[in-house]
């Protein structure tokens, strides 16, 4: 399994952003006079959870795309999601049950990727002046135009262009049967 350059960059952004969020959490505990070793342990556990969860999400998507089969890809992504959710529940439960882990930083870490992605989108939209027109093209690209696409775009593109793989054969069989019935009448 080889991760694309863009995926690696996104994992790096989440890792750095999660570190900044973790530092902010520690500073808030410090400001309220509640800083102790349990906060540091909870922050470390939360950081590892946030970055690890995002990393394994990327790996799950990459592996699902490598399958090439839509149904198998859906099943792989669903199982990846369920496994990551089970890990999240286990990490949160452990932080609630173990006395030397402060659960608050762990609970907050669940939201780190969402916070980071939102900040990056806002930065791109307002600071770098990249509006919707530049970041996302909602109009379909004509088939005769050549464009460089990554694996994810190829995978997602199959959902909007033409029939579902494997369904063409069924549609052809139905059309053949309908034509034979029409000719018989």
């Amino acid at each position: 399994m080889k991760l694309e350059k863009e995926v690696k960059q996104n994992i790096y952004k989440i890792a750095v952003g999660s570190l900044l969020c973790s530092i902010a959490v520690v500073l808030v505990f410090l400001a309220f006079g509640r800083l102790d070793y349990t906060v540091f342990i909870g922050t470390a556990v939360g950081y590892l959870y946030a970055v690890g969860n995002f990393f394994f999400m990327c790996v799950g998507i990459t592996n699902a795309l490598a399958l090439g089969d839509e149904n198998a890809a859906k099943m792989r992504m669903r199982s990846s999601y369920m496994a990551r959710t089970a890990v999240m529940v286990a990490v949160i439960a452990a932080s609630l049950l173990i006395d030397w882990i402060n659960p608050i930083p762990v609970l907050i870490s669940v939201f780190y990727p969402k916070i980071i992605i939102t900040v990056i989108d806002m930065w791109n939209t307002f600071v770098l002046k990249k509006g919707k027109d530049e970041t996302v093209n909602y109009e379909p690209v004509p088939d005769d135009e050549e464009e460089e696409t990554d694996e994810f775009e190829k995978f997602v593109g199959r959902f909007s262009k033409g029939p579902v793989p494997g369904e063409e054969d069924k549609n052809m069989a139905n059309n053949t049967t309908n034509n034979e019935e029409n000719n018989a009448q």
Side-chain angles (χ1 to χ4, degrees), residues 1-182:
M1 174 211 52
K2 184 175 185 235
L3 295 176
E4 299 286 326
K5 180 182 174 185
E6 185 177 345
V7 173
K8 289 179 183 178
Q9 288 174 344
N10 287 333
I11 292 170
Y12 176 76
K13 288 176 186 177
I14 293 298
V16 171
S18 293
L19 180 64
L20 295 174
C21 289
S22 296
I23 291 170
V25 167
V26 169
L27 292 175
V28 168
F29 273 93
L30 179 65
F32 284 103
R34 299 285 204 188
L35 188 63
D36 61 357
Y37 75 97
T38 64
V39 173
F40 287 114
I41 295 172
T43 301
V45 169
Y47 174 81
L48 291 174
Y49 166 75
V51 175
N53 185 48
F54 190 79
F55 172 78
F56 285 113
M57 180 189 69
C58 292
V59 168
I61 290 171
T62 302
N63 289 341
L65 292 175
L67 294 174
D69 179 34
E70 177 187 353
N71 291 330
K74 283 181 181 180
M75 291 300 292
R76 174 74 55 97
M77 290 177 73
R78 187 176 295 130
S79 65
S80 170
Y81 174 77
M82 291 181 71
R84 289 182 295 107
T85 302
V87 169
M88 177 184 67
V89 169
V91 168
I92 291 172
S95 71
L96 290 169
L97 296 174
I98 299 173
D99 291 337
W100 44 271
I101 299 176
N102 190 321
I104 295 173
V106 177
L107 292 170
I108 294 171
S109 71
V110 171
F111 302 104
Y112 287 175
K114 180 69 173 170
I115 293 167
I116 295 162
I117 291 168
T118 302
V119 168
I120 289 171
D121 285 346
M122 289 173 57
W123 178 266
N124 288 337
T125 301
F126 298 113
V127 176
L128 298 179
K129 305 293 187 216
K130 290 183 181 177
K132 284 185 179 179
D133 297 333
E134 294 179 22
T135 57
V136 179
N137 183 6
Y138 292 103
E139 296 181 24
V141 177
D143 290 334
D144 59 343
E145 284 187 27
E146 294 284 327
E147 77 171 27
E148 187 176 319
T149 60
D150 61 0
E151 291 297 317
F152 182 74
E153 289 179 82
K154 288 177 186 175
F155 180 75
V156 173
R158 290 189 292 179
F159 294 112
S160 64
K161 294 179 182 175
V164 175
E167 294 292 317
E168 308 98 14
D169 299 334
K170 292 178 186 175
N171 290 338
M172 292 173 100
N174 288 341
N175 288 341
T176 305
T177 306
N178 290 342
N179 289 340
E180 291 173 358
E181 290 173 0
N182 289 340

